[in-house]
Amino acid sequence: MKVKQILTALAAIVVSAAVLAGARFGLSGVANEIAAAEKKEMIRFMLPESTTFTQEVYTGEDEAIVAVYKGETGYVLETKTAGYAGDIYLLVGVDNSGKVTGLTVRDMEETLGLGAQALLDTDFLIQFLGTQGDAQIGEGVDALTGATVTSKAIARGVNAAVGFVTGADTSSGATSWGG
C-alpha cells in the first residue's frame, strides 16, 4: 500500500513539473514580446524628434557600446560600463550634433541606498542632458552621494555614446579627426 501512495505522489509531482515547464515555455514568448515593446518605446523616448529606428551593427572598438539604433535625428545607444557591484546598462539618446537628448538606466546591480539610486534619481540623471561627451563627475556633474564609482560609470557610458556619434575618442579625449 505504501508503494502505491509513493508512486501516486511521485506521478503528481512529475505531472505538476511538466505543467509548470509548459507554462514557462508558453509564456516566455509573451515576456520577450513585452520586453521588446518596452525597449522600443524607451528608444523612442530617448530621441523624441525621431519616429523610426533601425538597429545598426556596431563593429567599433569601444567595449562600452552594446547596440546602436539610428533615428532620423540621431542615435540611441545601449552602453555597458563596469559599476561598483556589476555592469550598468544605459540607453542614451544623442542627436546628430552630439548633444545628449535622453538617458535611462536599463539595468544595474549596484548597492541599495547608494549606487542603486541612479535608477530613479532624476536630479542626478538630468545633469547629463545637453552634455556633449564632456560629462565628468566633479566638473559640472555632481556624483550620487556615496556612489562615486557608479556615477563615473554612468558618465563613461554617456560619453561613449556621444563619442560614437561625434567620432570622439572617449578614452583619451581626442577626436578621430585629430582635434
Side-chain angles (χ1 to χ4, degrees), residues 31-48 50-55 67 69-72 75-78 91 104 106:
N32 289 340
E33 287 177 23
I34 291 171
E38 177 191 71
K39 188 172 187 178
K40 184 178 179 180
E41 188 61 29
M42 285 195 153
I43 288 170
R44 285 183 1 95
F45 187 74
M46 294 298 105
L47 196 64
S50 291
T51 56
T52 59
F53 292 88
T54 308
Q55 185 168 2
Y69 304 91
K70 183 176 181 6
E72 299 92 355
Y75 295 84
V76 174
L77 294 102
E78 185 172 0
L91 280 178
T104 189
R106 289 285 292 154

Side-chain angles (χ1 to χ4, degrees), residues 45-48 91-94 99-104 128-130 158:
F45 187 74
M46 294 298 105
L47 196 64
L91 280 178
V92 184
V94 182
K99 187 185 335 180
V100 176
T101 60
L103 167 66
T104 189
F128 294 98
L129 296 180
V158 169

Side-chain angles (χ1 to χ4, degrees), residues 22-159:
R24 181 173 183 233
F25 178 75
L27 293 176
S28 67
V30 173
N32 289 340
E33 287 177 23
I34 291 171
E38 177 191 71
K39 188 172 187 178
K40 184 178 179 180
E41 188 61 29
M42 285 195 153
I43 288 170
R44 285 183 1 95
F45 187 74
M46 294 298 105
L47 196 64
E49 298 297 317
S50 291
T51 56
T52 59
F53 292 88
T54 308
Q55 185 168 2
E56 295 187 345
V57 176
Y58 178 69
T59 57
E61 297 178 13
D62 191 338
E63 294 179 2
I65 307 292
V66 175
V68 176
Y69 304 91
K70 183 176 181 6
E72 299 92 355
T73 61
Y75 295 84
V76 174
L77 294 102
E78 185 172 0
T79 66
K80 176 181 89 169
T81 54
Y84 179 77
D87 290 332
I88 299 172
Y89 291 87
L90 305 174
L91 280 178
V92 184
V94 182
D95 68 17
N96 287 326
S97 71
K99 187 185 335 180
V100 176
T101 60
L103 167 66
T104 189
V105 179
R106 289 285 292 154
D107 191 27
M108 68 165 37
E109 296 177 16
E110 299 299 273
T111 307
L112 289 176
L114 296 172
Q117 295 176 75
L119 284 167
L120 302 173
D121 191 330
T122 55
D123 290 335
F124 169 71
L125 295 174
I126 204 165
Q127 297 176 97
F128 294 98
L129 296 180
T131 62
Q132 295 185 295
D134 55 356
Q136 291 186 15
I137 301 303
E139 295 181 32
V141 177
D142 295 328
L144 291 165
T145 302
T148 305
V149 173
T150 302
S151 301
K152 287 182 177 181
I154 291 172
R156 277 193 308 276
V158 169
N159 291 340

